[in-house]
Amino acid sequence: RVHGDSTRPMATKHKFFVALVAVALLAASARAELELVQVQVLTRHGDRTPMKEISVSPAVWTCWANSLSMPWAGEVAAIPAPARVHSLLYIRGAEVLEGNCSAGQLTVIGQHQQQALGQTVANRYIDELNFLPSAYSPQEIYVRASETPRCVMSAQEFLAGMYPASGSSGTTQVIPVWTIDSSTDSMQLNPSLCPAMEELLVETLLENRTFVEKILEYLAPVTPAILKAFNTSDPLVGLEYYDTLVCRQAHGIPWPAGVTQTVFDFLTDAYNQIGDAVFSSGAFSMGPFFAQLLYNMDLVVANQGVLDPRFMLFSGHDTSVGPTLSALGVYPGLWPPYASHIYFELYQNVSSVDEFYVQTLYQDLPVVPRGCPNSMCPLAVFQALLSESIPDDYESACELKVPRRWDDDARAVRRFVRGITQRR
């Protein structure tokens, strides 16, 4: 070793450390110049009962979560403490599922998931960033939910976690939750609004025979168990019932005989692979909702960073969260779980008031949308990216040209796609 060389590794490490510190200080300085001016949150509802039951092995579902309501006319912020409220219950033995639950009903687990999410949001935007007031403000908080009852209730539970009700003052606080008729709601994959979308999803899977064959080949090790457990000759039936298996697992309800953890794991992986294709192909059908997200940001920019409501909650479905992640190029390859959520944080550069950035977080962690230099994406770049999934002529893009005539081999794929897009 040449004399003096022994000092070089230490000097190199020192320079590297100094460089890291400099980068960290530069990043901190840049962040200090940015002010949070708007937050939009898109969530999937909480845990629910299944949409369909497994005919060869039905389970009994018992639900305690229900909505209380009372008739009232007019928009008000508070009403006298009600002397009577109404409870909506489902008649036992008269529903799709055995028991007293409706298909797709929010469960107590789902209520707790949304309350916890509301608390997480409160910790971030009220306690840590001091962005929102400590008490609910109808001027600063806007809530929209899919018309589906589980989405409406999820939004209510989210708010209960974010802003817990205070002690009684002789009045009852009224918080508006806005919704849209399900047939015209673009906040999720919606075949009623965009018929061409569903046909495109089916064709994407059917015409890419390699993809379908890949799924079948992947399931081959557990195919005999699937066929026996669900009393079928088609292994894709296992994917149709996968959602029901997930629901049973969450509630400790046994799977049908023959469905082992290994079978479930194989179905999970296959389901995730199909989800990637479905979400990327169908994202365009959410174009009007994406346009609304961008419009909300544009309003803030036009008002120089000052505009209420400052916080917007959108309570939707897995088919809301998944396509949005796909449109941004950040879909992780895993189906969006219950209470999954995306934050869109709009920041303004206080040193250059015309400069805005969007930070996207999924499951509370920053992600880097496609084409963005980092998680703090220039607004113009973010707008251009999301605009790729907004058709110039939405009505034409969604028009069903010539309905395809399906053969027997295609029906299972179509049933699977419909099971996803129509569980609203």
Side-chain angles (χ1 to χ4, degrees):
R1 177 178 293 178
V2 178
H3 179 71
D5 279 1
S6 61
T7 63
R8 289 180 183 176
M10 183 62 70
T12 301
K13 291 180 181 179
H14 177 70
K15 290 178 181 179
F16 180 69
F17 176 76
V18 170
L20 284 179
V21 172
V23 170
L25 290 175
L26 183 62
S29 175
R31 176 59 66 91
E33 295 180 350
L34 298 179
E35 179 184 359
L36 183 61
V37 292
Q38 183 192 68
V39 176
Q40 300 184 78
V41 177
L42 174 63
T43 74
R44 183 189 181 189
H45 55 75
D47 176 84
R48 56 159 171 76
T49 59
M51 302 303 298
K52 62 186 297 185
E53 191 49 278
I54 301 173
S55 57
V56 297
S57 178
V60 177
W61 294 85
T62 301
C63 290
W64 301 102
N66 62 75
S67 294
L68 300 178
S69 63
M70 60 175 290
W72 191 265
E75 295 183 16
V76 291
I79 60 174
R84 173 185 297 167
V85 295
H86 302 274
S87 176
L88 179 64
L89 304 172
Y90 291 91
I91 300 174
R92 182 177 292 274
E95 309 304 321
V96 173
L97 307 177
E98 292 189 15
N100 70 331
C101 304
S102 67
Q105 183 176 347
L106 191 73
T107 66
V108 172
I109 294 175
Q111 289 180 294
H112 292 165
Q113 289 172 336
Q114 287 294 331
Q115 289 173 10
L117 178 56
Q119 292 169 0
T120 298
V121 168
N123 290 339
R124 178 172 178 82
Y125 298 114
I126 298 176
D127 301 334
E128 296 175 10
L129 300 180
N130 197 30
F131 176 69
L132 293 174
S134 58
Y136 168 79
S137 167
Q139 288 74 37
E140 298 186 63
I141 309 294
Y142 171 85
V143 182
R144 170 180 161 184
S146 166
E147 192 181 36
T148 310
R150 63 180 174 275
C151 294
V152 174
M153 188 181 291
S154 288
Q156 295 167 343
E157 297 293 354
F158 180 103
L159 288 170
M162 186 176 181
Y163 288 109
S166 57
S168 175
S169 60
T171 61
T172 299
Q173 186 179 43
V174 178
I175 298 179
V177 176
W178 300 92
T179 190
I180 295 176
D181 186 273
S182 60
S183 64
T184 60
D185 193 354
S186 63
M187 199 166 70
Q188 68 270 335
L189 300 184
N190 187 347
S192 298
L193 178 64
C194 188
M197 174 272 298
E198 185 178 77
E199 298 297 303
L200 176 62
L201 300 188
V202 176
E203 289 180 5
T204 297
L205 298 180
L206 286 177
E207 292 178 359
N208 187 355
R209 298 303 300 180
T210 302
F211 180 82
V212 176
E213 291 167 0
K214 177 183 175 183
I215 294 297
L216 293 174
E217 181 180 348
Y218 179 78
L219 291 175
V222 294
T223 292
I226 291 174
L227 301 184
K228 183 177 181 180
F230 298 110
N231 190 25
T232 180
S233 59
D234 184 359
L236 291 180
V237 169
L239 293 175
E240 292 181 43
Y241 284 128
Y242 173 73
D243 176 75
T244 305
L245 297 178
V246 172
C247 295
R248 289 194 180 193
Q249 183 184 52
H251 293 265
I253 297 177
W255 292 327
V259 177
T260 64
Q261 185 64 48
T262 298
V263 172
F264 180 79
D265 291 342
F266 268 88
L267 290 174
T268 297
D269 290 342
Y271 205 78
N272 286 331
Q273 293 176 45
I274 293 177
D276 198 2
V278 167
F279 293 148
S280 60
S281 299
F284 79 94
S285 68
M286 289 182 61
F289 176 69
F290 295 155
Q292 183 66 57
L293 293 177
L294 296 181
Y295 177 72
N296 294 339
M297 296 179 187
D298 287 339
L299 287 178
V300 175
V301 173
N303 284 272
Q304 291 297 306
V306 181
L307 184 71
D308 286 333
R310 310 184 75 198
F311 179 91
M312 302 182 189
L313 170 66
F314 300 93
S315 178
H317 302 263
D318 48 0
T319 54
S320 304
V321 174
T324 303
L325 293 172
S326 183
L328 295 175
V330 294
Y331 182 70
L334 299 176
W335 200 275
Y338 295 126
S340 53
H341 48 282
I342 308 173
Y343 303 155
F344 298 106
E345 300 178 340
L346 182 64
Y347 288 85
Q348 182 181 30
N349 189 333
V350 297
S351 300
S352 178
V353 294
D354 293 329
E355 195 173 292
F356 291 84
Y357 297 85
V358 178
Q359 177 166 247
T360 304
L361 298 91
Y362 178 56
Q363 303 295 68
D364 306 306
L365 297 175
V367 295
V368 181
R370 184 176 63 249
C372 296
N374 49 55
S375 64
M376 197 63 70
C377 187
L379 177 58
V381 177
F382 183 87
Q383 289 173 321
L385 172 59
L386 199 54
S387 292
E388 293 177 6
S389 296
I390 303 176
D392 293 332
D393 186 341
Y394 185 77
E395 183 175 347
S396 176
C398 287
E399 181 182 359
L400 186 59
K401 306 303 189 284
V402 179
R404 178 169 177 166
R405 300 183 67 178
W406 307 104
D407 55 32
D408 292 340
D409 293 337
R411 287 175 183 168
V413 174
R414 194 181 195 198
R415 285 198 310 270
F416 173 75
V417 169
R418 283 199 162 183
I420 294 173
T421 61
Q422 297 188 357
R423 60 184 188 211
R424 299 190 304 280

